[in-house]
Each structure stands twice: as structure tokens, then as C-alpha cells.
Amino acid sequence: MEGFWHPLQTPSQLILLVSLAVLLGQQNKLTLPKIITAFVGFLCLGFVINHFYPLAWDVELLLLIVALGISLLVTLRLKLSVFVLLPIILLSGLVLGLDSKPIMIPGFGNNIMYNWLVGVLVSMMSLGIMVGLTSYVLRNLGNGIVLRVIGSWIATSALFVLTLMLVKP
């Protein structure tokens, strides 16, 4: 269960997941199975890279920058093609995978780590599907203004978290 709660307790991951789901829900025609497969594949690739070749730089900063860009796209309410959405989805999945690392306690086997990563994957997909379906239903409400306001709130949240990360105490 700890892996399941991880994306919901990490503000930068939550902001990116919600902004990506709102962007996908805002679009009219998408090939959803291909998009979900690509996202899961690059999320798992990020898990593997993070496990075998951990990065020395701060991935949370990159998460928030990507979330800010996606939320600004939501605010603009552009009809994007799959060729524009696919790199955004792939980058988001990769960065989310790079930021998800279980706490390894000496003496526990690899099964604990794999169970934690499966919990993270299930949580991210569940949240993305719920928010994406809600956004899909709300995309025409008030000529799309509801999702644009949500996009601006997400952008503001990303800016707040970025500011708090960059301020030195």
C-alpha cells in the first residue's frame, strides 16, 4: 500500500498527473489504448533507469516544469494532434518513473521493491483515468472554461511548489 500512496503524497507528481489527465480529457479524439500503453511503457522505463542508473540531479524540478507547460496548454485549450501529445506523454511517463524510488531496507528482498512499484503504477493509472474521464465529461461545460480554470490553478500550484523548492531557508 505504500507504493499506492506515493504519487498522492508527492506534490510534484500529483500536479503532473492531474495536469496530464486534464490535457488528455480536454482533447476530442484520441486513441486511448495506444496512449496508455506508451505512458505505462515509459513509466516502467523510468523505473528501470532509476533503479540501475540513478540520476544525481533533482528530478522534481523537471516534474514541475513539465507540469507547468502542460497546464499552460490546458489553459490555452488547443486541439493537439497525437504527434504533439505523444512526446508530452512519453516525457511525463519517463520523468514520473525517474522520480519514483522505493525506500530500500537492508534485508528485504526485491519483491518488496517490485510490489511498491506496481502500487505506484496502479495508483498513477487510477488517478489518471479518474481525472481524465472527469475532464472529458467537463470539456464542453461553459465552452471549456471549467477546464481552463483548472489548468490555471494547476499552473499556479506548480509555480508555488517551484518557488518553495528554489527558496533557500
Side-chain angles (χ1 to χ4, degrees):
M1 286 302 289
E2 289 180 24
F4 185 80
W5 295 113
H6 174 71
L8 303 175
Q9 293 174 341
T10 308
S12 55
Q13 289 188 3
L14 186 62
I15 290 170
L16 179 58
L17 282 169
V18 170
S19 65
L20 185 63
V22 171
L23 178 69
L24 292 177
Q26 192 179 44
Q27 305 303 313
N28 284 336
K29 298 178 182 176
L30 290 176
T31 54
L32 202 56
K34 292 179 184 177
I35 288 174
I36 290 175
T37 305
F39 179 77
V40 169
F42 270 73
L43 184 64
C44 292
L45 178 66
F47 289 159
V48 169
I49 291 172
N50 193 19
H51 180 69
F52 290 110
Y53 307 105
L55 300 175
W57 39 280
D58 190 13
V59 181
E60 280 195 52
L61 187 65
L62 185 59
L63 274 172
L64 291 168
I65 292 169
V66 171
L68 180 62
I70 292 173
S71 62
L72 292 176
L73 286 174
V74 169
T75 306
L76 292 174
R77 193 180 182 215
L78 300 173
K79 301 298 179 204
L80 302 173
S81 70
V82 176
F83 298 111
V84 175
L85 283 174
L86 199 58
I88 294 170
I89 293 164
L90 297 180
L91 178 66
S92 299
L94 184 66
V95 171
L96 283 167
L98 289 173
D99 192 47
S100 300
K101 185 165 178 85
I103 298 170
M104 294 302 295
I105 299 172
F108 286 113
N110 285 336
N111 286 341
I112 299 293
M113 180 188 68
Y114 298 139
N115 291 338
W116 191 90
L117 291 174
V118 168
V120 169
L121 180 67
V122 168
S123 175
M124 286 184 183
M125 293 309 299
S126 301
L127 178 70
I129 289 171
M130 286 188 300
V131 174
L133 286 175
T134 306
S135 300
Y136 186 77
V137 170
L138 295 176
R139 77 181 194 282
N140 291 325
L141 185 66
N143 200 16
I145 199 75
V146 173
L147 292 183
R148 295 174 83 180
V149 169
I150 291 172
S152 69
W153 288 346
I154 295 168
T156 304
S157 300
L159 283 173
F160 280 156
V161 176
L162 271 170
T163 303
L164 292 174
M165 281 180 61
L166 297 176
V167 171
K168 302 290 182 205

